[in-house]
Amino acid sequence: MSTNYPYYPARALVDLAAIRSNVRALAAHAAPVAGRSAQVMAVVKADAYGHGLVPSARAAVRGGATWLGTAQIAEALALRAAGLTGRILTWLYAPGAPLGDVLDADIDVSVAAPWALTEVVAAARERGRTARVHIKVDTGLGRNGLLPAALPAFLAGAVAAQSAGLVEVVGIWSHFAFADDPTHPTVLAQADTFDAAVRLAERAGAHLEVRHLANSAATLTNPRMHYDLVRPGLAVYGLSPVPDLAGPQAYGLRPAMTLEASLATVKTVPAGSGVSYAHAYTTTQDTTLGVVPLGYADGIPRHASGSLPDHPGGPVRVGTGGAARTLAVAGRVCMDQLVLDLGPDAAEQAGDRVVLFGDGLDGGPTVQDWADAAGTISYEITTRLGDRVPRVYLGQD
Ligand SMILES: *Cc1c(COP(=O)(O)O)cnc(C)c1O
């Protein structure tokens, strides 16, 4: 939490046992295909998709991940500083990045452009180290990476640096544009382009340790794409990367995060009362309102505001036992709070626990339900969870 003060009226419970078990499930998905078994790199970028970088990374390692992956250099360095000793790959940086620090921390580094190789080589020379590099190829995503046409010249430079002892080309890697649509024609086309890049690198003199292409969706749905290493992120946290195909349970995954809050104010209001900014919601009967102390500054999407009947808001589980029910946010999500219409017979009181999302096994709302309510993907819900919401870790072993 950003202020380090221990009180907050809401919290994100992160079940580390779920993360361990999800990684074990992913390792089973990556288990021998045609006699070959792929390792698992748990992607822990963006504060482990909002779950907390270091505790999540430790749990992933306990679950069997032999690699950790981060977009940002700062995240990779934080893992090392916390004492994680396994292989780490970091892949997103701009000219002038502190690559010497990356090499000193024994972190593998992606190179996605000629300038990046130049800077890695300079850092290796300056620090007296050999950089382990993974060449990122743009096989069709149209994002980071070298286009295939640029590869031959690039490989010549990389292999020359390898001969000089400054780098070791240990990986070729790429990323899919349509991994969540496993039969999309671009998937096989990207794999063909990837295979050609691997052959080119090997012929140029690279001794590849890992070829890797699969994110969560490809890990779960497309064994042909596993190669030597899979790079799941979302699935590590128990969320389905292919919600239109199947939920997490179908893949042996369990959502790790539960977001809960304590009701701040509970009060009765008459029918016809406007609720929250611009009165986007109006009560239709004498009823009870409950104020939930979470808002868009905590990462609750304002797009999940509710103006019945045309646009129900994001779901919140209220009550326990027979009184348990899932309500939709009433009116605008504000910066720090949102409102529920608890109904005329509500027994809830200030201080009672409500759940915005959890593992869904009790029929309660999930991260995916919030993504649907906000017109986005589950990734955005957990990664945007506010820094000020405390993470409480369960299931430590
Ligand atoms: C984020 C990321 C991943 C993980 O993707 P998921 O869809 O969360 O599994 C894998 N590889 C790269 C390059 C990424 O940026």
Side-chain angles (χ1 to χ4, degrees), residues 43 45 49 91 136 143 173 175 215-217 231-235 379:
V43 176
K45 62 190 179 185
Y49 290 47
W91 59 74
K136 182 78 178 275
R143 202 175 69 179
W173 72 307
H175 197 48
N215 63 354
S216 293
R231 300 190 310 270
L234 191 77
Y379 297 75

Side-chain angles (χ1 to χ4, degrees), residues 275 281 289-290 292 304-309 311-318 325-333 338-343 355 365 370 373:
V275 175
Y281 179 93
L289 300 180
V292 177
S305 296
S307 46
L308 283 169
H311 188 279
V316 181
R317 186 80 155 173
V318 175
R325 60 218 189 271
T326 299
L327 303 172
V329 171
R332 293 272 166 85
V333 173
L338 58 86
V339 182
L340 299 173
D341 183 344
L342 299 169
V355 176
W370 274 88

Side-chain angles (χ1 to χ4, degrees), residues 254-282:
R254 182 156 60 85
M257 186 188 285
T258 297
L259 180 62
E260 62 172 41
S262 307
L263 285 174
T265 293
V266 175
K267 64 187 178 198
T268 55
V269 298
S273 299
V275 175
S276 189
Y277 290 128
H279 290 177
Y281 179 93
T282 303

Side-chain angles (χ1 to χ4, degrees), residues 235-372:
V236 167
Y237 311 101
L239 302 172
S240 173
V242 287
D244 295 338
L245 300 180
Q249 288 82 5
Y251 299 108
L253 306 172
R254 182 156 60 85
M257 186 188 285
T258 297
L259 180 62
E260 62 172 41
S262 307
L263 285 174
T265 293
V266 175
K267 64 187 178 198
T268 55
V269 298
S273 299
V275 175
S276 189
Y277 290 128
H279 290 177
Y281 179 93
T282 303
T283 59
T284 55
Q285 57 187 338
D286 294 355
T287 190
T288 302
L289 300 180
V291 174
V292 177
L294 282 169
Y296 60 78
D298 300 297
I300 308 306
R302 192 168 172 277
H303 279 93
S305 296
S307 46
L308 283 169
D310 47 305
H311 188 279
V316 181
R317 186 80 155 173
V318 175
T320 53
R325 60 218 189 271
T326 299
L327 303 172
V329 171
R332 293 272 166 85
V333 173
C334 310
M335 185 182 294
D336 313 293
Q337 35 195 316
L338 58 86
V339 182
L340 299 173
D341 183 344
L342 299 169
D345 307 317
E348 282 74 32
Q349 298 179 356
D352 283 358
R353 171 181 185 260
V354 301
V355 176
L356 282 78
F357 54 76
D359 64 17
L361 297 177
D362 59 354
T366 61
V367 173
Q368 186 62 46
D369 293 328
W370 274 88
D372 293 343

